[in-house]
Amino acid sequence: MRVINTRKACSICYCIFSIWAFSASATVFHDVGNSKTYVTIQAAYDAIPGVLADDYVVELYGDYDPNNESFPIVLTGRTTSGFNIIIRPASGETGIVCSG
């Protein structure tokens, strides 16, 4: 006769469920630059859903050209519910100017 230690099996299930439950939200990156997914900050922002379920980071790359932007950039119409939208230069990028 084989005996299964159900306490151990339940602990493993709980651990897997706990990891899944606590890692459900993520950080979504929107890359902005002429060679990236989005050419403008506005396009990257507009692609963010109206009600956030994750944090969003809009990262500007060296080939970002503010001349492609229509100013003012409008950053409204999002329900954050504890999540964040961050606009910043990508790691290692310097000298990015956003003005219009």
Side-chain angles (χ1 to χ4, degrees):
M1 178 165 117
R2 190 166 74 168
V3 177
I4 298 173
N5 183 342
T6 57
R7 183 179 304 173
K8 187 174 185 179
C10 289
S11 295
I12 292 170
C13 291
Y14 176 75
C15 179
I16 291 169
F17 175 76
S18 296
I19 292 169
W20 175 80
F22 289 108
S23 63
S25 72
T27 300
V28 180
F29 290 83
H30 285 197
D31 299 339
V32 180
N34 285 330
S35 65
K36 302 300 177 191
T37 306
Y38 303 98
V39 177
T40 64
I41 295 170
Q42 189 69 65
Y45 184 82
D46 290 347
I48 296 172
V51 178
L52 275 65
D54 297 302
D55 290 321
Y56 282 81
V57 177
V58 175
E59 287 194 321
L60 307 178
Y61 283 82
D63 63 346
Y64 167 74
D65 183 355
N67 293 317
N68 293 326
E69 221 49 87
S70 293
F71 290 96
I73 299 170
V74 180
L75 306 176
T76 60
R78 301 295 182 274
T79 303
T80 58
S81 302
F83 295 101
N84 300 296
I85 299 173
I86 299 166
I87 301 172
R88 68 181 185 204
S91 179
E93 298 290 353
T94 60
I96 295 175
V97 176
C98 182
S99 64

